[in-house]
Amino acid sequence: MKRLLPPLLCLLLLLCASCRHEDSLTQQFNAKAIALQTSGNISTVEYTVQKFVKVDDTRWNAFGERKILYSAVAYLKAGIPMEDFSMEDARIDEHDKSITLTLPHAKLISLNIPPERIRLEYKKSSGLRTEFSDKEKLYILSQGEKSIREDLDDYGILDDAERNARIMFTAILRNIGFENINIKFA
């Protein structure tokens, strides 16, 4: 009898293991979605942009002129704000192995202009005009950053972020086992 116990125990363990069925697609999706939600923003694209900021300060009542030109390199990251995602944004059909996932629209996650990438290209003060003050220079550079933010649509970074998110989420969902995948942004 002692000799039969190990093979019997092995057979019992084997049967139990084969009886255990895999998690459903919904359970697998929920586990992944919770992990993605807690990660915050998912960056899906990074751009490097060179910006030139020019000021030509020639007042009609001033004697002389002031000009300044800066170049700056900015690093932009865009992606999906997963904190805005809710589990109700997914419609799952286990039978068809299909999912319709509505993600938040992409947004700019970060805009970084390192000081070492800002360069004074040209400056000129003539006549009775003074040089640009440090305060004026900071304001000029802030206008360059503002211009970059306003031009996001022209760069296409948000469209690229959504396209890359669609590719990434499609791969994740296929890996889970979904066959019919529809990803929308709202």
Side-chain angles (χ1 to χ4, degrees), residues 53-146:
V53 184
K54 176 181 132 181
V55 172
D56 189 356
D57 183 12
T58 52
R59 295 186 208 152
W60 67 272
N61 62 349
F63 297 103
E65 62 184 1
R66 293 189 315 167
K67 296 181 180 187
I68 196 164
L69 175 66
Y70 280 103
S71 68
V73 174
Y75 301 100
L76 291 76
K77 287 184 182 180
I80 307 302
M82 290 306 291
E83 66 270 6
D84 296 340
F85 175 76
S86 170
M87 295 298 208
E88 288 81 39
D89 295 329
R91 288 193 335 248
I92 297 172
D93 184 335
E94 293 267 351
H95 178 68
D96 291 342
K97 294 186 178 184
S98 67
I99 185 169
T100 298
L101 187 63
T102 304
L103 295 171
H105 279 290
K107 72 174 189 177
L108 183 67
I109 293 172
S110 71
L111 189 159
N112 181 24
I113 304 174
E116 65 272 8
R117 299 302 310 262
I118 299 171
R119 192 168 136 194
L120 177 62
E121 300 288 346
Y122 176 80
K123 72 176 181 173
K124 176 183 177 184
S125 295
S126 65
L128 301 175
R129 302 301 302 275
T130 61
E131 295 282 333
F132 286 93
S133 70
D134 288 342
K135 185 177 178 180
E136 289 173 313
K137 290 176 184 176
L138 283 174
Y139 177 76
I140 292 165
L141 290 171
S142 73
Q143 292 305 301
E145 181 179 336
K146 180 181 174 188

Side-chain angles (χ1 to χ4, degrees), residues 22-25 28-29 32 97 99 167-181:
E22 292 184 17
D23 290 341
S24 70
L25 289 174
Q28 291 182 60
F29 170 77
K32 292 276 188 199
K97 294 186 178 184
I99 185 169
I167 292 167
M168 182 188 81
F169 277 94
T170 298
I172 291 170
L173 295 169
R174 283 209 192 285
N175 191 40
I176 290 173
F178 288 102
E179 295 173 3
N180 303 309
I181 300 166

